Every structure is written in structure tokens, then in C-alpha cells.
Amino acid sequence: MISKRLEAAINAQINAELWSAYLYLSMSTYCQDAGFPGIANWFNIQFKEEQDHAMILLNYLQSRDGRVLLAPIDAVETEWASPLAAFEATLQHEQKVTSLINNLMALAVEEKDFALQTRLNWFVEEQVEEEENARDLIQKFRLIGDNGYGLYQLDQELAARVYTQATPLTTAE
Ligand code: MG
């Protein structure tokens, strides 16, 4: 069993993760259209990872006999001034997600849901990485500035990123 408060909070976080997925898919298509297929690949992998995050929480809710309620996913932006602007928006967004995860963890502590805390520890670590990655890329874009060859090189670098499914504790069995 899971408390109603936690059930609602996990459902809200599932929605937030799916909104993140939608945001990154939008950024991916924007970068593709802007002529950066490698950066588009980077965002496309973010899109997949965010769906994994949603599924980890969804699986947990189901394994605790909670009710999954999928609320509508809000619209996302479709245009950015540049790939750099998209990464700046990514960092801002991930900082917000970090606080959502922290709030969920605080609630899990309050409700004494130790199994959820174990799973959320993974999310806490993941957020450190998400923020760091976005910051590193912003730094690279700023160094490169308007240098076409630099942008080409960075696009090539991000084209090499490969998706691996986030699987920590995805299945309870
Ligand atoms: Mg996430």
C-alpha cells in the first residue's frame, strides 16, 4: 500500500518526467531543423531517458498497488534562439526538476516510505549529472561562440552519444 499523498505526488512526478521528455523531443526537432543533427541526437536521447524516468516511477507505483493516473501533458516551446539557448533552457529546467525530486524525497521521508527513498536516491544522483552535463555543454558553446568549425565539431561529438536504458530498480521482481 502507498499513502494517497505519495500516490498523488508520484503521479505528478510521472507527468513532470513526461513533460521533460516532450520538451527534449521539441528541442531535438528544433536542432534538427536548424542543421545540427548531432545536437538533435543528444536531445533525442534525453527524450528517451525522461521516458525511462517516468516508467521507473510508474512501475514503483504499480508495484505498491497505487493507481497510476496520467494527466494531460502541457504544451512545450517549439523555438529557441539557438542551440545554446536550448541548453540554457535545459539547465534551468533541470534545476527545477532537481527541486521537484528533492520535494518528493522529503515527502517519502515524512511518510516513511523507505523503498521509495531507495529509488529516489538514484534520481537525486541523476539530477547532479543532468545539471552538470547541461552546464558543461553551455560552457563549450560559449567557448565556440560563432565559430562555424567549432560548432560543426561539437555537433559531431554529440552525434556519437548512444542511448542506454536507465534500468535501476525498474522492475521489482
Ligand atoms: Mg528526469
Side-chain angles (χ1 to χ4, degrees), residues 2 16 26 39 63 69 73 94-95 107 119 132 151 163:
I2 192 156
S26 184
I39 301 171
S63 66
L69 293 171
I73 299 167
E94 289 300 337
Q95 286 167 340
L107 192 60
R119 281 153 183 82
E132 194 179 15
L151 286 170
Y163 166 71

Side-chain angles (χ1 to χ4, degrees), residues 4-160:
K4 284 288 154 200
R5 274 177 88 198
L6 266 184
E7 184 183 88
I10 293 171
N11 272 314
Q13 191 61 36
I14 290 170
N15 187 267
E17 300 292 346
L18 291 174
W19 189 85
S20 300
Y22 208 36
L23 175 69
Y24 294 139
L25 181 60
S26 184
M27 286 176 174
S28 180
T29 59
Y30 160 76
C31 290
Q32 186 75 38
D33 290 349
F36 298 100
I39 301 171
N41 172 64
W42 193 91
F43 278 116
N44 194 264
I45 292 169
Q46 289 299 109
F47 163 61
K48 290 175 183 163
E49 283 189 2
E50 296 304 337
Q51 292 175 77
D52 291 343
H53 298 169
M55 288 309 295
I56 292 167
L57 295 166
L58 188 150
N59 289 338
Y60 180 69
L61 200 47
Q62 289 195 316
S63 66
R64 298 303 303 274
D65 204 20
R67 180 78 176 92
V68 174
L69 293 171
L70 298 177
I73 299 167
D74 288 343
V76 291
E77 298 211 13
T78 54
E79 293 287 338
W80 289 268
S82 63
L84 168 60
F87 279 103
E88 285 169 340
T90 295
L91 177 58
Q92 238 180 15
H93 175 63
E94 289 300 337
Q95 286 167 340
K96 210 177 82 188
V97 173
T98 298
S99 70
L100 292 177
I101 293 292
N102 288 345
N103 290 342
L104 188 54
M105 179 64 106
L107 192 60
V109 169
E110 209 183 303
E111 298 278 323
K112 295 189 169 65
D113 189 327
F114 301 111
L116 180 58
Q117 288 172 42
T118 302
R119 281 153 183 82
L120 289 178
N121 273 325
W122 180 85
F123 281 81
V124 168
E125 293 301 323
E126 175 72 9
Q127 283 311 120
V128 173
E129 210 179 290
E130 299 275 32
E131 287 190 32
E132 194 179 15
N133 289 341
R135 253 198 324 272
D136 285 353
L137 284 165
I138 288 168
Q139 181 80 0
K140 283 185 183 178
F141 271 105
R142 287 187 181 152
L143 275 172
I144 290 167
D146 289 331
N147 184 294
Y149 187 67
L151 286 170
Y152 171 75
Q153 286 285 87
L154 182 57
D155 190 65
Q156 292 284 97
E157 184 186 319
L158 298 184

